[in-house]
Each structure stands twice: as C-alpha cells, then as structure tokens.
Amino acid sequence: MSGPRTSLEQWHCFLAVVDEGSYARAAEVLHKSQSAVTYTIQKMEEQLGVRVFEIRGRKAELTEAGQMLYRRGRSLIDEALRLEKSAKSVAAGWEPQLRIVCDTLFPSAVMLDCLEDLSAHCPDTRIECVESVLSGAEEALLERRCDVAITGIVPPGFLGDHLLRVKFLAVAQRDHALHQLGRDLDYRDLRPFRQVVVRDSGVRRQRDSGWLDAVQRLTVSRMETSINAVARGVGFAWLPAVAMRQELASGLIKPLPMIEGGERHADLFLILPNRDLAGAAALRCEAFIKDAVANLVC
C-alpha cells in the first residue's frame, strides 16, 4: 500500500499561511524564508493536483478546494498533535487503558467525581468503569480483567484496603401493607410479601445475599431499579441508605420496624490486583478514591 504523497510539514505550512494571512507572516512564525514557504505550498499543490490559493490583488485567498482542504488539514494536524501527546503520556508512565470494576454499593456520585478528576490528570488514558454486584468484581479480579476493583469480596490471593462500610436498611414504600400492620416485625411477617433483590452480576459463583426465601421475588440488575421498585410499592428490600437519601428524607420510603435485622452493614475494599505492576493511572485512581471516601458517611 502506497503512503501519502504529502507530508505533515506541508500541511502545517499550509495552515500557517491561512492562519497568519500571508506567506511573509507564515514564514516568520515557522522560522523559514518566504521563498521556502512559497515552494512548499507550490509543491503541495502539484502533488495534490489542485490549487489551494489564488492571488487577488496582493493577497492570496483560498479557493473552494483550499477551504475544504484547510478544514481537513486542521483535523489532520490536531490529530497528529494528540497522537504525539498520547505517546508522551505513555512514555511518562500513563497506561493507554485503565479498567475499573466497581461494586454498585459504592456511591455513584463519588465515583463520577473520581473519574472526572482522573480524566483531567490522564486525558489520553482510555478509562472503562464497569459496575458489578456481589461476585462480579471478584470474578474480574480472578480473571485479571481489571486494574482497580472496589468489591465486598476479597478473593484468595488478593489483599485489599478497607474503603468504607455501607449501611443497609430494611425498607418499604410508606403505604406498603407491612407499614400498615402497626407493630414491630420479624422475618415471618416479611415472607408473604414480595422481596426486591439485585441480581449477582457474576457468572461462576452467583450469590443470593439477604434473600429471605420470600414467597414472591422481584430480581433486578441495578441498584437504582431496586430503589425505584420499592418506591413504587412493588415490594420490600434491604437497600443502602446512602443510595436512597432523597427517598428517605421525603418519607416516600420508610424503614420497616424490625425486631431484629432491620439494619445491616457491608464492607467494601479497594484492590489493585498487582501493585508492583500498577501504572500511574491506576495509582492515581486509587488515591482519588481514598481521598473521596475519607469523610463519606454511608
């Protein structure tokens, strides 16, 4: 396959003439002689087989073809500059790709803040953030499919730093029949009603965490959907308090008056699968996450 007939230097020169408004000013900016700039443009026109400038009075103006080539040339030079910047980022230790697996119990707003900061610090790193439930992050770690993991399960062979403790509350919509009983409840009161649970995103070791073997069950794949289902009165559930602050504050969702078990806790851990090989982006991501949760109450 033959390569391009023109060079980036020619396109850079062409853009400079247009941006500066004349061959003379372009020559000054490019630190070239005016004759060199003129020759470069003439050679480019010859190679492309099209005129990019036409002389009107004492001024060189773009032809219609030149206007189109200017737009394409600008994109070409901008992409070349981005490519060089990306190469410098990789040479400086920034990974070309960072894969994050995050348990859905981790507050999404906090994660988005971390991703925003991370994007600003390593703009040339492609970031992939996948949400997981229960064993999903565990599988990603065991199968080496992530560079950073936030998980409630630390699999054998890995070490994790404790990140935060998430409080779960047994809740139902304020008009749900369980709230109409007018007394403290135990698990036998709950079993006749539909329980909303979030499906394990793992494939190999699916778990049913917190299911009471209720007669009716609604399984969803996202924590947000579970909260919305409870808010609509579809069923009861144990949900993370931090994820339903608005619903609790408004009274739309209310904690169930449980004799015991009305409040549960789950721990989340931050894991770098191989710290010795972790790149700059993974280490910066770890730091951002730890800083973000330092004063977070869940």
Side-chain angles (χ1 to χ4, degrees), residues 151-168:
T151 175
I153 305 168
V154 181
F158 293 87
L159 295 175
D161 289 328
H162 185 266
L163 197 58
L164 56 88
R165 171 162 284 194
V166 180
K167 180 170 70 174
F168 283 74

Side-chain angles (χ1 to χ4, degrees), residues 167-181:
K167 180 170 70 174
F168 283 74
L169 297 175
V171 294
Q173 200 256 8
R174 60 190 170 202
D175 296 324
H176 192 278
L178 284 168
H179 284 302
Q180 308 307 314
L181 294 178

Side-chain angles (χ1 to χ4, degrees), residues 45-251:
E45 289 179 322
E46 179 185 331
Q47 291 169 325
L48 293 174
V50 66
R51 295 291 300 275
V52 296
F53 289 111
E54 58 184 3
I55 304 301
R56 293 184 180 177
R58 294 184 178 181
K59 189 175 181 182
E61 296 185 359
L62 284 172
T63 62
E64 289 187 8
Q67 293 174 10
M68 180 274 291
L69 291 173
Y70 175 79
R71 293 192 296 271
R72 297 289 183 88
R74 173 59 63 195
S75 298
L76 176 66
I77 293 299
D78 289 346
E79 183 60 31
L81 291 172
R82 283 193 292 269
L83 183 61
E84 289 181 354
K85 185 178 179 181
S86 296
K88 290 179 181 178
S89 296
V90 173
W94 296 110
E95 306 93 305
Q97 181 177 6
L98 181 68
R99 301 166 300 174
I100 305 167
V101 175
C102 180
D103 194 292
T104 55
L105 295 182
F106 190 78
S108 59
V110 176
M111 176 52 71
L112 288 174
D113 288 341
C114 293
L115 293 176
E116 184 178 358
D117 291 338
L118 191 61
S119 297
H121 280 77
C122 46
D124 297 305
T125 297
R126 178 186 296 177
I127 302 171
E128 177 183 272
C129 185
V130 177
E131 292 183 315
S132 67
V133 180
L134 293 173
S135 67
E138 178 188 15
E139 285 188 7
L141 284 165
L142 291 171
E143 296 173 6
R144 306 292 177 177
R145 290 188 282 106
C146 64
D147 304 297
V148 178
I150 297 177
T151 175
I153 305 168
V154 181
F158 293 87
L159 295 175
D161 289 328
H162 185 266
L163 197 58
L164 56 88
R165 171 162 284 194
V166 180
K167 180 170 70 174
F168 283 74
L169 297 175
V171 294
Q173 200 256 8
R174 60 190 170 202
D175 296 324
H176 192 278
L178 284 168
H179 284 302
Q180 308 307 314
L181 294 178
R183 56 178 172 80
D184 291 343
L185 310 175
D186 62 23
Y187 77 95
R188 289 169 296 187
D189 295 309
L190 303 184
R191 289 186 64 184
F193 296 92
R194 186 182 305 277
Q195 181 177 357
V196 182
V197 297
V198 182
R199 180 177 60 85
D200 191 337
S201 63
V203 176
R204 301 178 184 278
R205 310 178 183 184
Q206 290 195 344
R207 294 178 169 89
D208 284 319
S209 179
W211 186 40
L212 287 181
D213 196 23
V215 173
Q216 302 178 68
R217 171 173 172 166
L218 172 62
T219 302
V220 297
S221 59
R222 299 175 58 213
M223 185 62 67
E224 180 183 1
T225 306
S226 178
I227 294 172
N228 289 335
V230 171
R232 288 171 174 261
V234 175
F236 72 93
W238 272 266
L239 296 174
V242 68
M244 54 175 176
R245 284 175 174 168
Q246 183 176 347
E247 290 81 3
L248 288 172
S250 68

